[in-house]
Amino acid sequence: MRATKDFKDYELIDCSGGEKLERWGDVTLVRPDPQVLWETPRGPRWKSCNAHYHRSQSGGGRWEYKSMRRESWNISWRQLTFKISPTGFKHTGLFPEQAVNWDYAMGKLAGRPGANILNLFAYTGGATLACAAAGAKVCHVDASKGMVSWARENAALSSLADKPVRWIVDDCKKFVERELRRGNRYDGIIMDPPSYGRGPGGEIWKLEEQIYPLLELTAPLLSDAPLFFILNSYTTGLSASVMQYLLGVTVGRLHGGRAAADEIGLPVSETGLVLPCGSTAIWEP
C-alpha cells in the first residue's frame, strides 16, 4: 500500500467503530468511514474534538460543532495551501491520501516543463495545483461550479493564480468528446471520478457502469510522448487489480507501456497501521 507520510498539517490520529479522528491543522474532526470495521479503545482526544459528523439513519447527516467558530481555515502541503471547510456531506474539501499521487505527478513533470495535463473530476484542485507548481499547463475540469471556484481559491492561496490553468465547469465525458473533435492532446491525464454523481445537466454517473467506456473515450487524448495516466477510485467495488486491468485494455492497448495499481492509505498515529482510502492505477509508457 502507498501511504502519505509527510503531510505535516494533516494527521489521522485514530479510527474505531466506523469513525476516524483527524487533525486538520489545529482543528480535530470526527468523521464516519465505512472501512473502519473494528472497535478499539478510544483515547481522550476523541472527546475533545472540535466537530463531529453524525450520520442519519435516513441518509445524509449533520455536523455537531463543539468548540469551533470557524467555517473554514487553511492547511498546507509543501508549497501548496488549501482551504478546508466541513460540508454537509461529511467532506472537508480535500482528500489528503491523494498526496502520494501529487508527489508522483510532480516527479514525472520535473523533466518536462510546459507539459499539458488534463485533470478530470478535478474537485478542489489538489492534483491541478501540484502539476501547476511543477511547471505544467493544466486543464481542470469538474461538473460542479462550486468546486471549480473552490479550486481557484486554492490556487490563489498557493500563489498559483497566474499559472497556465484552464478552469472548466463541464460534464467530463462531454468535454473529452469536444477535445477529441478539436484535436487537442495531453501529456498526462488524471481521472478521479466519484462512485456516484450528477453532471450540470442532470447526467447520472455510476462508476462501475461508465468507467470503461470513459477510459476508452479518453485514451486517444494522450499525446505521442505521454508521461502518465492516473486513475483513482474510492469505491470498494472496484479493486486495484480491476483498475490496473482497465488501464491495460484501454490506454495500454492504444499506447503500449504498462499499468500498475495499489491501494493508497493514511498512516494511523495511534496504532502505527495504515487505513485504506481507495486505490490508484497508473499507466506509464
Side-chain angles (χ1 to χ4, degrees), residues 13-82:
I13 301 167
D14 198 8
C15 47
S16 175
E19 295 182 314
K20 55 189 177 185
L21 172 65
E22 307 165 289
R23 178 182 61 79
W24 299 81
D26 61 355
V27 176
T28 55
L29 304 176
V30 174
R31 297 191 295 154
D33 191 310
Q35 296 277 71
V36 183
L37 304 178
W38 45 88
E39 294 278 356
T40 49
R42 298 191 177 199
R45 295 183 71 179
W46 284 85
K47 293 182 179 180
S48 62
C49 70
N50 298 108
H52 188 162
Y53 187 89
H54 299 278
R55 279 204 180 280
S56 169
Q57 292 184 351
S58 59
R62 64 176 181 84
W63 283 97
E64 175 193 3
Y65 294 102
K66 298 183 175 184
S67 56
M68 186 168 69
R69 300 292 180 264
R70 290 176 288 176
E71 292 185 358
S72 66
W73 63 98
N74 300 334
I75 69 170
S76 296
W77 177 80
R78 299 192 178 172
Q79 70 265 53
L80 306 181
T81 301
F82 302 99

Side-chain angles (χ1 to χ4, degrees), residues 142-158:
D142 197 279
S144 168
K145 183 178 180 180
M147 290 300 107
V148 174
S149 294
W150 194 335
R152 297 187 75 156
E153 283 187 71
N154 287 335
L157 289 170
S158 300

